[in-house]
Amino acid sequence: MPDLWLLLIPGLPLLAACWIAARLLLRWGRGDEAEYLTAYSVMGAGALSLLLIVVAAVQVVITGAAQQVLLLPWLHSGTYHADISFRLDGLSLSVAAVVALITLLVTRFSMNYLHREPGFQRFFMVLALFAAAMQLIVLAGSAWLAFVGWELAGASSYLLIAYNWQSKTATRNATRAFVTNRVGDAGFLLGLFMAFTWFHSVEWDVLLTPHSEVSSLMVGVTAVGFMLAALVKSAQFPFSAWITRALEGPTPSSTVFYGAVMVHAGIYLLLRIHPLLEQAPALQYVLLLLGVLTLLYGWLGGLVQSDIKTSLLFSTLAQTGLMLVEIALGWYTLALVHLLSHAVWRTYQFLHSPSFALHVEWQPAPLAPAWLRRWPWLRNAALQRFWLDPLADWLLVKPTQALSHETQIFDEQILDKLTGTPIHHCCISTLAEMQALQQGTLRLENSVGVGSGLFGKAMQGIAEPLEWLENRLLLQQDGGKAKQRLDKLGGYLDRIERLLTQPRYLMLLVTVTLVVIF
């Protein structure tokens, strides 16, 4: 097909990520030269991707109409169909161009910022993967292809929050963000299910076209699924707690994920599905309420922060909350312009934050405004981030940890016993135990494992006698009894051999042989 070159827009960063991963596995990425090669490969892929987006935008301008470009067929079953397609219109191309430009700038910034960092190669691999994921989200012509990018972006986010994986704080916060975003993924899956059930397609051009045969309730449920995914991904109230914990990664990752790019993915999704929202007016009132709450949460929380990155993040929440209000009111063009301009401005602020923090290192953090200090309860609530963190832990993180613990218990107590998997192993920990083992006075009890179930008991019954035989004959002092008896037998054979080599015994053996024959 002539439009297959469009796959190179997300494909080039994805190929760069795969190439870096291959070099890591083959241990080729070492030294300063390897760093430059890695960085420039990601930069080259990003630059070519941006160029292809510009070419696609020029084609759309020339034709004068938005395009739903079918690239490859994927699934066709009766009335159900899903294809690999791109949607090229003003919304997707403008956001894709800004995403590609910001990613390119962050890549160049990271080249010096992370120079000689132990995780340099890993960072750029994940950054390239994220660039591919965002382009899939933005350019996808169907909800299922957007979901692929959605999941890749979530995985990239998890890997970069846990960039310093040796730190328990980093891994704990990465897990918190991962668990919270699974709620949004469940909403996205609900939207996909409803789309297949009622529209028999997940293509955006089909979903966003009014269908008189589909009830408004089913349209609303479909929109609710996508809306939930958007609210969680953009950290809108009450799902705002996870994003403040996601600043453990390096500054460049904070820029592309939570300051300028991924935090706007949910806003982009709401702009994309706004025809569905218009068919369910009640959802627009919900968006308006949540947008106002997010705006207040970000504004008040930012007034009491002393860390520059956290302050910028709360400011970002306030701006995305305002975008939510604009979408709820039907001001879609204003929301798009707001998204693009805010992404560019926030990129500059986040990349500038390390230098700014260095210049004001010895200056105290500014106090909260006087009017806020006159309201201690409100100031305390803002300092505690309105207790969303413990609420999220109670509702999401702790139940997930409890489920994981119960799953582990089920695995150990039920599955291991059914399959006969060894439960524990005995070990020798002291010199006295080693000497006793060599002397044959210590026997390893169940060193092969305690078998359960039919196969486990059978294997244990075979293994234990063999273990006893090995311990008694081979593992005692001087090689065990087996070695002593073999050495004695070998001595007898050597003596017989020496006797047979003497002439008188050799003649006697020949005479005895002749007598036996005759």
Side-chain angles (χ1 to χ4, degrees), residues 197-214:
T197 301
W198 296 102
F199 299 92
H200 305 288
S201 175
V202 288
E203 300 294 314
W204 286 132
D205 59 342
V206 176
L207 293 181
L208 304 180
T209 302
H211 294 76
S212 57
E213 67 276 9
V214 180

Side-chain angles (χ1 to χ4, degrees), residues 97-116:
V98 170
V99 167
L101 178 62
I102 290 175
T103 307
L104 185 61
L105 293 175
V106 170
T107 304
R108 181 62 187 88
F109 178 86
S110 305
M111 184 176 174
N112 295 333
Y113 188 83
L114 295 173
H115 179 51
R116 293 182 178 175

